[in-house]
Amino acid sequence: MNVLSLRDLRVHFPGAGNPVRAVDGVSFDIVAGETLGLVGESGCGKSTLANAVVGLVAPTGGSVLVRGEEIVGADRTQLRAMRAHVQMVFQDPVTSLNPRMRVGDAVGEPLLVRGIARGQDLRRRVGELLEEVGLRPEHAMRFPHQFSGGQRQRVVIARALALRPELLVCDEPVSALDVSVRAQILNLLVALQARLGMASLFVSHDLAVVRHVCDRVAVMYLGQLAELAPSHALYSTPRHPYTQALLSAVPEPDPVAQRSRARVMLTGEIPSPANPPPGCRFHTRCPIAQAICRSDIPVWREVGESQVACHFA
Amino acid sequence: MSQVLAIENLSLSIAGARVVDGVSLSVAAGEVMAIVGESGCGKSLTAAAVMRLLPPAVRQEAGSIRLAGVDIARLRESEVRGLRGRRMSMIFQEPQAALDPLSTVGTHIAQSLRQPLHRVRAEVLRMLDEVGISDPARRIDQHPFELSGGMCQRVMIASALIGRPELLLADEPTTALDVTIQAQILDLLRKLARERGTAIVLITHDMGVVADIADRVAVMYAGRIAETGPVDALFAAPRHPYTALLLASIPRLTDVPKSVLAVIPGRVPGAAEFGPGCRFAGRCPLTEPRCEAEPPPLAPIGDGRATACWRWEQMV
Ligand SMILES: Nc1ncnc2c1ncn2[C@@H]1O[C@H](COP(=O)(O)OP(=O)(O)O)[C@@H](O)[C@H]1O
Ligand SMILES: Nc1ncnc2c1ncn2[C@@H]1O[C@H](COP(=O)(O)OP(=O)(O)O)[C@@H](O)[C@H]1O
Ligand code: SF4
Ligand SMILES: [Mg+2]
Ligand SMILES: [Mg+2]
């Protein structure tokens, strides 16, 4: 079953001139238990897409189905019901927690507000949630500032798990963390996915992190998907020249391997999402662009195990 | 090789705590020396000490910082000012924040030469071209808000280099940039070291960046150098438990997906928690009683390498 289905999702923001087409026609599905990675350079629309999925921004058009139910145009009651199934973890664990609220109250809030648990029962559930993310039940009495960055992100994850969501949307969940702490949180996320069987939309600019946790990966460029493929296929045989360029730009922590790698260098700047180029949106930076790329929009098609939008993939 | 920069036994303290403790490192002409470590380990303060731009709360307790043989700490402020931009320059993580929003690219770069733009316009245009800014004749009159992050970083590099300094300190110069732009900026820095012979100290938390650009590396932990040496040898066979764990904790493109990453238990100690011994002792898998009691010196172990670990031979 599809936990999430996006069809031609569009989110445009009004701008000084043309609207900013932050998300401009994205379609994909996430099935139960699956983790889909969403990668791309900053400004390509990843966070806007994630926010649209959890109902934090209103789509301009298209469809967002959560467990088959449409949330575009849904009223507040329907959105609230949907939010029980879809939870979000943001990049910054500092601003995601209320500094004046004890972490136990923060973790238990969704259960209390929805009338699922209270009193002794709530305290027990909170203790279990904290243990689930590698903290201790007695941590419930502390305030966020008494925790390190990695521990705060654990608290945020515990709260997101409180309602046992079917879809966890993570927007750059480890980007603000130091290397050694990042590994702890990644291990936790992988273990939780396996144990709870929940699906995830995992947004990150870090391709190595995404490869580590995701089953399939969607590559986004200027509000649209360039490529979508199973993780192993995307990383071993990237089809879209943009995917190839992104991957080849990731420096590997191995100096000997790094020196011998072939590079696909991109030139030029990312165009504005208010004025995307005609034809293939990537043509202004593409190393293999031809005349047709400047005029015709490439159709989304299958190549090997990938789906890709490129005339020459 | 003659050293452009030689830091010896540098110690910096804040309210009595040694946040940088006994750091020694050097960089030669044309060489890229990386300083890598997690946040708060003292990388930026070390660079600030070299530029003599330490925040008021920070005291230099000990050590010498020699730029081509001259100890910077002993110079008068006016003398140091004369060195900045001409003999040594620094670039930062947030190029947009470091550029004056009201001045144009050209005016900003000309300031490093302490000249009005009209007198050095040709030179500024050449420099913009050298750092890979397309259409310099148009860009020179633009303001920072009209430029992308990558272009702002190029402008900052241009203004750091136009005085032809021997030493460039680059503090997380690509951390705020996308990998595609990072690759371009690292290429540019590599070219500067090779072609101009600029000595570069590159500060980063990213082992991938170190592997890509550095000739040598110093791994810092809690204010001290844990290990230092040529990059190939250090990555191939780390000789400090912290370096080994750090390398093992990085997700790689070559990993088995969803495999368990190595973790370093606990967290970096704050300055108030520093004990008398090795600052990594509380988290180290090799720790023994001596580690808690006595600080291991940064001792040479051959082939230009050195490590500050009592038990490094256990790793061979
Ligand atoms: N609330 C908003 N109003 C106007 N423009 C926005 C808003 N949020 C994002 N944008 C713009 O939409 C584009 C996509 O942004 P974002 O989704 O944050 O990208 P990413 O997360 O991939 O970095 C960018 O051009 C950004 O400036
Ligand atoms: N202006 C300052 N005032 C007080 N403490 C500072 C200041 N700058 C840095 N520190 C402290 O000094 C230590 C080293 O900082 P820094 O050199 O900035 O680390 P890094 O660059 O490796 O992240 C940290 O513990 C930090 O909190
Ligand atoms: S000196 Fe001891 S505690 Fe420090 S790194 Fe070496 S073995 Fe570990
Ligand atoms: Mg984002
Ligand atoms: Mg710093």
Side-chain angles (χ1 to χ4, degrees), chain A residues 245-268:
Chain A
L246 264 186
L247 276 174
S248 82
V250 179
E252 265 188 73
D254 175 345
V256 179
Q258 183 59 16
R259 271 195 295 274
S260 62
R261 276 171 81 196
R263 299 283 188 89
V264 184
M265 275 285 182
L266 291 183
T267 51

Side-chain angles (χ1 to χ4, degrees), chain B residues 43-44 171-172 203:
Chain B
K43 306 181 295 293
S44 294
D171 191 355
E172 308 257 8
I203 291 173

Side-chain angles (χ1 to χ4, degrees), chain B residues 51 83-91 159-163 165-170:
Chain B
M51 292 297 285
L83 298 180
R84 291 189 202 120
R86 298 205 174 103
R87 307 277 309 277
M88 58 181 184
S89 290
M90 185 151 171
I91 59 174
S159 90
L161 291 178
I162 196 160
E166 302 119 273
L167 175 67
L168 177 68
L169 299 158

Side-chain angles (χ1 to χ4, degrees), chain A residues 33 35 40-43 46 148 151 177-184 186-187 190 193 205-209 211-215 231 235 242 245-256 258-259 261 263 265-270 285, chain B residues 37-40 139 148-151 176-184 186-187 190 205-212 214 231-232 235 242 246-247 249-268 283:
Chain A
T35 298
E41 289 163 294
S42 56
K46 304 181 296 297
S148 66
Q151 285 175 316
L177 303 176
D178 262 317
V179 186
S180 69
V181 182
R182 193 168 62 187
Q184 297 172 5
L186 288 175
N187 284 346
V190 168
Q193 280 163 6
H205 69 282
D206 187 326
L207 283 111
V209 165
R211 157 147 177 153
H212 197 85
V213 298
C214 296
D215 303 300
S231 194
Y235 286 86
Y242 179 59
L246 264 186
L247 276 174
S248 82
V250 179
E252 265 188 73
D254 175 345
V256 179
Q258 183 59 16
R259 271 195 295 274
R261 276 171 81 196
R263 299 283 188 89
M265 275 285 182
L266 291 183
T267 51
E269 300 285 325
I270 307 176
R285 298 168 80 202
Chain B
E38 296 179 86
S39 56
R139 297 293 182 197
S148 66
M151 249 192 283
L177 305 176
D178 282 308
V179 282
T180 49
I181 312 297
Q182 166 170 282
Q184 297 168 3
L186 293 178
D187 260 15
R190 193 175 4 250
H205 64 277
D206 184 338
M207 282 291 192
V209 169
V210 177
D212 184 69
V231 280
D232 285 14
F235 276 75
Y242 176 63
L246 204 55
L247 285 170
S249 70
I250 308 171
R252 295 166 190 249
L253 294 175
T254 48
D255 277 351
V256 176
K258 310 203 182 196
S259 53
V260 177
L261 297 165
V263 299
I264 308 179
R267 57 183 181 81
V268 182
R283 307 173 78 189

Side-chain angles (χ1 to χ4, degrees), chain A residues 13-14 20 22 41-49 273:
Chain A
F13 295 109
V20 176
E41 289 163 294
S42 56
C44 73
K46 304 181 296 297
S47 293
T48 304
L49 187 148

Side-chain angles (χ1 to χ4, degrees), chain B residues 8 27 31 52 54 68 80 82 100 112 128 159 162 240 244 248 258 261 279 290 313:
Chain B
E8 255 170 72
V27 55
E31 189 178 43
R52 267 254 309 258
L54 284 172
V80 180
D100 174 359
S112 329
L128 285 173
S159 90
I162 196 160
H240 193 288
K258 310 203 182 196
L261 297 165
R279 289 180 177 176
R290 177 191 194 180
E313 278 159 306

Side-chain angles (χ1 to χ4, degrees), chain A residues 49-68:
Chain A
L49 187 148
N51 289 337
V53 167
V54 298
L56 287 176
V57 304
T60 310
S63 153
V64 178
L65 299 178
V66 173
R67 302 162 82 237

